Amino acid sequence: MSSNKLLEVDNLNVYYGNIHAIKGVSLNVCEGEIVSLIGANGAGKTTTLQTISGLLKAKTGSVKFNGKELTKMEAHNILKCGIAQVPEGRRVFANLTVKENLEMGGITVKDTSENKKAEIEEIYKRFPRLEERKKQTAGTLSGGEQQMLAIGRALMSRPKILLLDEPSMGLSPMLVKEIFKIIKDVNESGVTVLLVEQNAKMALSISDRAYILETGKVSRSGDAHSLMEDDAIKKAYLGA
Ligand SMILES: Nc1ncnc2c1ncn2[C@@H]1O[C@H](COP(=O)(O)OP(=O)(O)OP(=O)(O)O)[C@@H](O)[C@H]1O
Ligand SMILES: [Mg+2]
């Protein structure tokens, strides 16, 4: 694994009106890694991801991707740089079919329709269940299938890094396993991953490193294995 810092977040401060939601967060993700951002409800995980992808604007601080400053860029341009987000709660286009959802994911990419078709075929190879349901409207898919579609849709922009916001939320234990395996596979195919999860155990089990977020601040960070063995972390996040 290279130690090239792909994503560098430095001293980020984000507000909702007077609410100081992100208080000086710094983190980085190296090329090829899976890094988890773990924390309780309201810790600021989603806010952090939304700021990286440009959907929210930081008051101060910097987000660099491949050395390029993103904080003043608009979300669609950030997407073009190779950062794709799978939003919390999946947010597939319920009235569009599976195939149309995937096509929407590729809309920002400048490419021939042939290549886009090939990309959809790649997604179907990764998610055979989506191919079986390609003409079905997304709103009628199960929760797990919608999560697969949300991931597939994000992959259509051929990102260098995938930001995933609680992909396991609301899924059965079996599907949780399947989704984490998919994340691992996507990573092994060359996509760097920043993963937000409340399921700390599963997240740490597939991650290289992790950051623990508490009320808008990074309270701990380190390699995933050491964090998993840490008594305080076990007690607070791993149900031990
Ligand atoms: N639109 C908003 N307006 C005002 N405050 C907000 C808004 N969105 C989030 N917040 C506040 O910012 C803080 C961080 O919220 P955020 O959604 O980032 O947490 P989270 O870690 O993703 O939580 P969860 O695990 O519940 O998804 C919380 O205190 C939340 O109430
Ligand atoms: Mg959230």
Side-chain angles (χ1 to χ4, degrees):
M1 193 190 309
S2 90
S3 60
N4 167 36
K5 280 182 192 164
L6 187 63
L7 180 72
E8 288 180 87
V9 173
D10 188 40
N11 202 9
L12 203 63
N13 285 285
V14 185
Y15 289 75
Y16 294 104
N18 292 327
I19 301 166
H20 193 179
I22 299 298
K23 303 168 184 158
V25 164
S26 298
L27 60 88
N28 59 68
V29 184
C30 297
E31 202 168 340
E33 279 190 313
I34 300 181
V35 172
S36 284
L37 193 56
I38 286 161
N41 286 118
K45 305 179 298 296
T46 298
T47 306
T48 303
L49 289 193
Q50 304 275 66
T51 309
I52 294 168
S53 60
L55 298 170
L56 285 172
K57 289 293 163 203
K59 187 154 194 182
T60 59
S62 114
V63 178
K64 282 189 186 142
F65 187 65
N66 267 326
K68 187 175 177 175
E69 182 61 51
L70 300 184
T71 40
K72 301 283 183 291
M73 276 171 69
E74 288 186 48
H76 63 272
N77 289 325
I78 292 177
L79 179 64
K80 280 183 193 158
C81 290
I83 300 180
Q85 187 173 354
V86 182
E88 189 172 7
R90 347 217 196 271
R91 310 259 182 88
V92 293
F93 303 109
N95 297 325
L96 300 186
T97 64
V98 166
K99 182 164 172 275
E100 288 163 346
N101 266 273
L102 292 175
E103 286 165 352
M104 292 297 280
I107 218 158
T108 57
V109 195
K110 264 204 180 138
D111 209 342
T112 63
S113 61
E114 287 307 305
N115 283 348
K116 286 189 182 182
K117 261 186 207 160
E119 195 59 31
I120 291 186
E121 291 308 316
E122 283 300 308
I123 307 275
Y124 286 155
K125 253 186 236 161
R126 193 183 290 286
F127 302 103
R129 236 184 296 175
L130 293 184
E131 179 162 31
E132 289 162 23
R133 290 163 176 77
K134 61 186 168 190
K135 292 186 180 144
Q136 193 172 324
T137 52
T140 62
L141 296 173
S142 74
E145 290 159 1
Q146 287 189 18
Q147 189 61 59
M148 290 175 199
L149 180 56
I151 296 172
R153 185 181 58 184
L155 289 175
M156 282 297 293
S157 67
R158 281 187 258 114
K160 296 192 186 82
I161 189 167
L162 198 58
L163 314 178
L164 292 143
D165 196 347
E166 305 212 30
S168 79
M169 192 169 46
L171 303 184
S172 70
M174 211 176 72
L175 271 167
V176 169
K177 267 195 175 164
E178 196 172 333
I179 291 294
F180 277 94
K181 187 180 176 303
I182 287 164
I183 296 167
K184 189 94 186 140
D185 287 348
V186 166
N187 174 252
E188 277 164 11
S189 74
V191 183
T192 303
V193 173
L194 178 58
L195 173 64
V196 156
E197 264 296 336
Q198 283 199 49
N199 189 334
K201 206 173 197 165
M202 286 298 280
L204 288 175
S205 75
I206 64 160
S207 294
D208 298 291
R209 292 186 301 116
Y211 293 83
I212 313 287
L213 207 56
E214 270 180 54
T215 55
K217 288 183 184 160
V218 173
S219 61
R220 295 283 304 274
S221 64
D223 75 272
H225 188 74
S226 336
L227 289 171
M228 250 189 302
E229 299 298 314
D230 184 282
D231 283 337
I233 301 287
K234 275 188 190 166
K235 215 167 157 188
Y237 299 100
L238 303 175

